[in-house]
Amino acid sequence: MSTTFEKTLSLIDAAHAQDPKTTTPPNPESSPVPYELHYANKMTKYLSLRSPSASEALRLAVRAQHLRRWEVPRTDFPATKIGYHSWRSHLAKRQAEIAHSLCLEGGYDEQFAGRVAALVRKEGLRSGEDEEVQVLEDVACLVFLEDQLEEFQNGYDEEKVIGILQRTWVKMSERGRELALEMELGGRSKELIGKALGGSA
């Protein structure tokens, strides 16, 4: 990776490190780390499995997911489905703008910074016209399954969680699904995924 990449990555991680929420990895010798830095590390981990030869732009876009997300809490938007989607759209636009700015600060040109921002916004995901956007989506889904599903399922009834898992599965490519099925998840999470997939997990 280039020096410019390393500088930009450091800027992104410095932003993540300001997250006031912390989490403690399962390793008993680990110390609490800012949650968004933990999340970014998980994203990079799954990108290395999903697409080992990923471009610099995709590596930075994956790392830049959730940039300063804690500054815009879900409670800032109405507690409705429309409110949720408005919150997500606002976050995607804001995070892309921050990523764009950090790429320029790190030494990239406007064209490269624009590409990273477009990936962060997941432009072209629904049309399927951009393979790198699909890779990013796979990575985000994999991190959700490994790192967030256990806590997430406690806030909803089983039927709703199963529905969300089914929608998550549809978003993923075949390679993403293969990686998901290789995960060693806890009993309850594995059970719910099995129900979501009709017992095929």
Side-chain angles (χ1 to χ4, degrees):
M1 294 293 106
S2 68
T3 302
T4 304
F5 173 87
E6 296 297 343
K7 180 179 179 181
T8 306
L9 187 67
S10 294
L11 291 169
I12 291 170
D13 283 352
H16 289 322
Q18 295 177 41
D19 184 3
K21 179 182 177 181
T22 62
T23 186
T24 302
N27 187 330
E29 298 180 358
S30 298
S31 300
V33 297
Y35 177 76
E36 292 303 351
L37 187 58
H38 163 81
Y39 178 86
N41 284 326
K42 290 286 187 179
M43 291 288 286
T44 294
K45 167 192 168 182
Y46 275 104
L47 177 63
S48 69
L49 295 173
R50 173 61 177 82
S51 186
S53 58
S55 67
E56 287 192 12
L58 181 54
R59 289 173 188 269
L60 290 172
V62 160
R63 196 75 177 186
Q65 292 294 299
H66 290 195
L67 262 175
R68 308 196 74 85
R69 184 171 183 159
W70 69 89
E71 295 178 340
V72 186
R74 173 67 182 90
T75 52
D76 283 1
F77 290 76
T80 61
K81 186 175 182 178
I82 293 176
Y84 172 76
H85 288 296
S86 296
W87 174 63
R88 290 293 299 270
S89 296
H90 176 79
L91 285 174
K93 180 179 178 181
R94 183 176 187 266
Q95 289 159 184
E97 290 172 350
I98 298 171
H100 181 276
S101 176
L102 293 180
C103 284
L104 293 178
E105 185 179 346
Y108 285 109
D109 60 22
E110 176 64 36
Q111 182 178 3
F112 183 93
R115 172 59 178 165
V116 172
L119 287 168
V120 172
R121 289 191 296 269
K122 299 183 183 177
E123 291 183 4
L125 177 61
R126 291 188 178 183
S127 65
E129 62 190 30
D130 192 327
E131 173 60 23
E132 287 194 314
V133 175
Q134 181 59 59
V135 172
L136 191 152
E137 181 72 1
D138 282 349
V139 170
C141 290
L142 289 166
V143 175
F144 167 70
L145 293 174
E146 183 196 70
D147 195 59
Q148 300 170 323
L149 177 57
E150 184 174 352
E151 180 179 354
F152 178 83
Q153 64 187 265
N154 294 328
Y156 300 95
D157 60 47
E158 181 175 294
E159 183 177 355
K160 184 173 181 65
V161 175
I162 288 173
I164 290 170
L165 287 171
Q166 290 170 336
R167 291 192 292 275
T168 299
W169 200 254
V170 170
K171 294 178 183 178
M172 300 170 73
S173 69
E174 286 303 316
R175 178 55 181 152
R177 294 169 184 171
E178 289 173 2
L179 289 170
L181 292 174
E182 292 171 4
M183 287 181 174
E184 295 183 5
L185 299 175
R188 180 59 176 159
S189 293
K190 185 175 182 179
E191 177 186 345
L192 288 170
I193 292 175
K195 290 182 177 180
L197 303 182
S200 61

